[in-house]
Amino acid sequence: MENQKKPPYVPLEMKGRMTKNSYKKQGSTEPDWKGSFMYKGEIISFGAWENDAGYGIYYNMKLNDPNWNKQQQQYPREVKHVDAGDVPF
């Protein structure tokens, strides 16, 4: 029997997984957990940081969206100023 490599994990649509970041060095800003999921045919990576708020553990998350720059270009570049006198309430 040959030594076969396991194929890389590819998530299914609207599914993913998260694993403990075993390479994190103490005191670093790297996430405690890393993961990926598939959304609309694209694989999105994310990191999660475990925190304790005194009432229990919660997780802060940060997504790595491959289309972030494309999405930013769709939003208006300038903010229109509205005079307070124009607001009806």
Side-chain angles (χ1 to χ4, degrees):
M1 186 181 234
E2 290 183 35
N3 187 8
Q4 296 178 355
K5 281 190 165 183
K6 189 175 178 182
Y9 171 74
V10 177
L12 299 174
E13 186 66 33
M14 300 293 288
K15 295 189 180 210
R17 72 175 175 186
M18 179 170 74
T19 57
K20 187 87 168 159
N21 183 2
S22 57
Y23 299 104
K24 180 177 177 169
K25 296 180 175 98
Q26 188 158 1
S28 78
T29 58
E30 296 177 64
D32 298 312
W33 298 84
K34 288 182 166 186
S36 62
F37 62 95
M38 186 174 293
Y39 180 69
K40 294 185 179 180
E42 295 207 41
I43 296 177
I44 309 291
S45 299
F46 66 91
W49 289 260
E50 190 172 303
N51 296 291
D52 188 354
Y55 54 81
I57 303 243
Y58 69 95
Y59 297 88
N60 282 336
M61 295 181 66
K62 181 179 179 185
L63 300 177
N64 182 14
D65 186 347
N67 291 320
W68 177 252
N69 288 332
K70 293 177 192 173
Q71 290 173 359
Q72 278 186 321
Q73 293 171 3
Q74 295 174 358
Y75 297 115
R77 292 269 180 208
E78 57 186 69
V79 177
K80 295 180 181 176
H81 179 68
V82 177
D83 187 14
D86 294 341
V87 180
F89 52 89

